[in-house]
């Protein structure tokens, strides 16, 4: 049914667009135009406003969701760590075996994985995140290799040619990749352009890739695409209504491990 009553209330219409996006996982300008009985140009302006506010990611013909924590700096995200994220990290840490070379991408969840490792683990750990390197250095059995470069204060991760050169010279057994957003069609994407080549180098260097993600990052998109989803072998996420259709990821050959949100 067309909703003519709100055609003159752009702010309310945009709120309703966000609700539709949350429900359906995507919106198309042509369908929204019919639904709200306004022109497609009007809808495109709505989507542009929402995109500018960081609430959606515009794509050809419409828009896709963005993660709820998009734009938050590293320390803010770390301070918001909850029981579910901790449980996901503990499950992920179980994939690490003695003697492995393990790459830890930047991110608050990846930091939690590092902190969740068994106290007696013996591995070589590689990371471009000084914060994660410090956390790993507390383990007596972990040899830490820090990939240096220019530090991005928002992500607390190094980037640049020095970072890439070190990562490209490593053949790791396992990678815990940081996930800003992951969409079955768009792939893995990031908010930060300088992260893209670093994440790509990590993916190229690892035999097995594990992504640990909260539900709001599934089906979401950020501006810069890193790689297709098939580069991930294992996805660990919460069992939640907002986690979307996990079958979409399983059809891509990804092992999906779900944890109940109430832990």
């Amino acid at each position: 049914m067309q909703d003519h009553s709100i055609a003159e209330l752009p702010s309310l219409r945009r709120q309703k667009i966000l609700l539709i996006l949350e429900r359906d996982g995507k919106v198309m300008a042509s369908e929204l135009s019919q639904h709200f009985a306004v022109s497609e140009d009007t809808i495109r302006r709505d989507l542009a406003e929402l995109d500018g506010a960081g609430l959606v990611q515009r794509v050809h013909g419409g828009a896709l969701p963005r993660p709820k924590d998009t734009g938050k700096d590293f320390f803010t995200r770390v301070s918001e760590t909850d029981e579910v994220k901790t449980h996901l990290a503990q499950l992920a840490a179980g994939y690490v075996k003695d003697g492995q070379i393990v790459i830890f991408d930047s991110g608050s969840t990846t930091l939690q994985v590092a902190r969740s490792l068994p106290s007696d683990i013996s591995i070589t750990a590689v990371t471009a995140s000084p914060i994660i390197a410090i956390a790993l250095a507390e383990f007596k059995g972990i040899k830490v290799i820090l990939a240096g470069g220019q530090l991005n204060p928002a992500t607390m991760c190094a980037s640049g040619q020095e970072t890439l050169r070190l990562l490209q010279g490593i053949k790791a057994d396992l990678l815990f990749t940081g996930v800003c957003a992951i969409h079955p069609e768009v792939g893995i994407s990031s908010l930060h352009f300088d992260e893209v080549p670093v994440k790509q180098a990590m993916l190229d260097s690892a035999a097995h890739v594990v992504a640990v993600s909260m539900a709001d990052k599934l089906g979401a998109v950020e501006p810069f695409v890193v790689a297709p989803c098939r580069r991930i072998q294992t996805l660990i996420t919460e069992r939640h209504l907002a986690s979307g259709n996990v079958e979409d990821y399983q059809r891509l050959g990804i092992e999906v491990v779900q944890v109940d949100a109430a832990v």
Side-chain angles (χ1 to χ4, degrees), residues 122-141:
S122 178
I123 61 171
T124 297
V126 182
T127 185
S129 168
I131 302 297
I132 292 177
I134 291 169
L136 291 165
E138 296 181 8
F139 293 80
K140 291 183 179 180

Side-chain angles (χ1 to χ4, degrees), residues 247-263:
E247 287 81 7
D248 291 339
Y249 301 92
Q250 291 170 328
R251 278 193 288 269
L252 295 171
I254 300 172
E255 173 197 23
V256 180
V257 180
Q258 288 186 284
V259 173
D260 289 328
V263 295

Side-chain angles (χ1 to χ4, degrees), residues 95-102 118 120-124 141-142 173:
Y95 282 76
V96 181
K97 307 300 179 188
D98 279 330
Q100 289 184 325
I101 298 176
V102 184
D120 60 347
I121 198 76
S122 178
I123 61 171
T124 297
I142 298 182
D173 300 288

Side-chain angles (χ1 to χ4, degrees), residues 101-103 124-127 145 147 164-173 201-202 204-206:
I101 298 176
V102 184
I103 301 176
T124 297
V126 182
T127 185
I145 299 174
L164 296 177
R165 189 175 296 114
L166 187 144
L167 293 171
Q168 290 164 352
I170 291 174
K171 294 300 177 189
D173 300 288
M202 290 180 174
D204 290 341
S205 297

Side-chain angles (χ1 to χ4, degrees), residues 21-207:
L21 182 60
E22 183 176 0
R23 183 192 68 196
D24 297 344
K26 65 178 180 180
V27 290
M28 302 301 294
S30 57
E31 295 174 0
L32 292 175
S33 172
Q34 293 179 12
H35 178 77
F36 292 111
V38 295
S39 69
E40 286 194 35
D41 283 342
T42 297
I43 294 297
R44 281 191 283 268
R45 285 193 293 272
D46 287 338
L47 296 180
E49 287 286 337
L50 293 171
D51 180 87
L55 298 174
V56 306
Q57 178 62 47
R58 292 187 70 188
V59 295
H60 181 69
L64 293 169
R66 295 185 75 178
K68 290 183 173 62
D69 66 354
T70 188
K72 293 181 180 178
D73 64 44
F74 180 85
F75 294 105
T76 299
R77 286 181 282 120
V78 168
S79 69
E80 293 175 348
T81 296
D82 58 22
E83 291 184 12
V84 176
K85 184 180 288 189
T86 300
H87 195 63
L88 293 174
Q90 291 170 343
L91 184 59
Y95 282 76
V96 181
K97 307 300 179 188
D98 279 330
Q100 289 184 325
I101 298 176
V102 184
I103 301 176
F104 291 82
D105 194 1
S106 62
S108 59
T109 305
T110 315
L111 173 61
Q112 197 65 36
V113 175
R115 290 171 171 169
S116 300
L117 293 170
S119 59
D120 60 347
I121 198 76
S122 178
I123 61 171
T124 297
V126 182
T127 185
S129 168
I131 302 297
I132 292 177
I134 291 169
L136 291 165
E138 296 181 8
F139 293 80
K140 291 183 179 180
I142 298 182
K143 180 193 297 182
V144 182
I145 299 174
L146 177 61
Q150 182 171 336
L151 189 67
N152 183 333
T155 62
M156 291 305 294
C157 183
S159 64
Q161 287 303 313
E162 291 300 321
T163 311
L164 296 177
R165 189 175 296 114
L166 187 144
L167 293 171
Q168 290 164 352
I170 291 174
K171 294 300 177 189
D173 300 288
L174 185 63
L175 162 65
F176 292 108
T177 186
V179 176
C180 295
I182 177 170
H183 189 281
E185 296 174 16
V186 178
I188 309 160
S189 55
S190 173
L191 176 63
H192 303 279
F193 178 73
D194 61 338
E195 277 193 330
V196 173
V198 175
K199 289 181 179 293
Q200 290 172 337
M202 290 180 174
L203 290 168
D204 290 341
S205 297

Side-chain angles (χ1 to χ4, degrees), residues 88 213-220 237-244:
L88 293 174
S213 175
M214 299 294 283
D216 70 290
K217 298 180 186 296
L218 272 63
T237 189
E238 57 183 317
R239 193 187 310 276
H240 191 278
L241 290 176
S243 63

